[in-house]
Amino acid sequence: AQTVTQSQPEMSVQEAETVTLSCTYDTSENNYYLFWYKQPPSRQMILVIRQEAYKQQNATENRFSVNFQKAAKSFSLKISDSQLGDTAMYFCAFAGGTSYGKLTFGQGTILTVHP
Amino acid sequence: DSGVTQTPKHLITATGQRVTLRCSPRSGDLSVYWYQQSLDQGLQFLIQYYNGEERAKGNILERFSAQQFPDLHSELNLSSLELGDSALYFCASSVDSDSGSPRDTQYFGPGTRLTVL
């Protein structure tokens, strides 16, 4: 079974600065996908970024980028130029192998951006 | 707006009762997933349907059941409700052109907040 671990329950950052959220996972699968979802106070789950394990290049989406280290089973999210609207719970998630499309989530990291 | 709709937004009921949560996937999406988010268990996968058929099962209690109809909307039925069933229930959908491949992104609905008193 796959497991996803987010070791930082809470993080804070000043507006316009950069912050990195950590995520590690455990799997014996070779073909899988990793995701970061954002859950703002509205509780809506919003996809931030996704990474396909067979791609060596790290995914980027505007101010969001990942550092994917397959051998270390690490998948961190970097948020540059943090904005107040980035304040949310961030979940790392895994999908792959025989689990079909189901997502296995980490415990989440609460990120607070201060003005 | 993800394009996934869920009704109702909020549901308050008593222990022992039965409720039905409804989900309409994005247009064209064949797969529907149900997740439960609670304080003690976090976000957990319950069940997946693909084009009307059950595809995968997670930590879903026997008191819970789901189905996907020919028009692809899905319902999650929760019966003999207990206090511990209070949670936010999400539905997500994806294209899943390969009948269950994880490569397609899941888009989440706004959730149904269930409170069992």
Side-chain angles (χ1 to χ4, degrees):
Chain A
Q2 291 80 18
T3 58
V4 178
T5 302
Q6 293 177 248
S7 58
Q8 305 153 315
E10 293 187 44
M11 296 277 286
S12 65
V13 64
Q14 293 295 125
E15 201 174 5
E17 293 188 347
T18 296
V19 64
T20 298
L21 308 184
S22 301
C23 172
T24 58
Y25 59 94
D26 189 22
T27 183
S28 57
E29 303 290 346
N30 207 34
N31 180 27
Y32 54 88
Y33 300 77
L34 296 162
F35 306 83
W36 280 98
Y37 278 88
K38 166 185 176 181
Q39 187 177 40
S42 67
R43 296 299 213 171
Q44 176 77 49
M45 293 289 286
I46 303 164
L47 178 68
V48 174
I49 199 165
R50 57 175 274 160
Q51 174 79 41
E52 293 153 14
Y54 65 86
K55 288 188 176 178
Q56 291 189 345
Q57 187 173 5
N58 288 325
T60 62
E61 286 287 341
N62 301 313
R63 299 182 295 108
F64 299 88
S65 61
V66 298
N67 183 4
F68 174 48
Q69 302 288 328
K70 191 171 183 179
K73 294 181 181 171
S74 168
F75 182 61
S76 60
L77 174 70
K78 185 171 87 171
I79 306 174
S80 304
D81 186 25
S82 296
Q83 300 175 359
L84 296 178
D86 295 333
T87 292
M89 174 86 91
Y90 287 81
F91 290 96
C92 178
F94 171 102
T98 56
S99 64
Y100 291 101
K102 80 166 193 181
L103 292 169
T104 300
F105 288 92
Q107 307 92 316
T109 297
I110 299 172
L111 175 67
T112 303
V113 181
H114 298 285
Chain B
D1 185 357
S2 66
V4 179
T5 60
Q6 288 187 249
T7 56
K9 274 191 171 179
H10 303 276
L11 201 47
I12 301 174
T13 188
T15 54
Q17 295 298 305
R18 182 180 189 275
V19 297
T20 297
L21 313 184
R22 183 188 168 102
C23 167
S24 292
R26 295 186 320 155
S27 177
D29 283 1
L30 299 177
S31 261
V32 168
Y33 302 78
W34 286 97
Y35 294 88
Q36 179 195 58
Q37 185 177 27
S38 62
L39 280 175
D40 53 346
Q41 300 287 337
L43 260 166
Q44 286 199 99
F45 166 74
L46 294 178
I47 197 163
Q48 177 201 0
Y49 277 82
Y50 173 77
N51 204 18
E53 293 187 5
E54 183 183 303
R55 179 63 62 186
K57 236 174 179 176
N59 297 325
I60 188 167
L61 299 171
E62 282 191 14
R63 300 182 285 108
F64 296 1
S65 65
Q67 54 185 327
Q68 187 179 28
F69 295 86
D71 67 351
L72 300 178
H73 91 270
S74 177
E75 292 180 356
L76 179 67
N77 300 297
L78 316 177
S79 62
S80 303
L81 285 168
E82 302 175 359
L83 296 177
D85 298 328
S86 294
L88 187 55
Y89 290 85
F90 285 108
C91 166
S93 75
S94 66
V95 173
D96 275 347
S97 52
D98 193 19
S99 66
S101 164
R103 69 172 180 269
D104 297 304
T105 295
Q106 290 179 36
Y107 295 90
F108 282 73
T112 292
R113 166 75 67 188
L114 173 67
T115 302
V116 182
L117 300 175

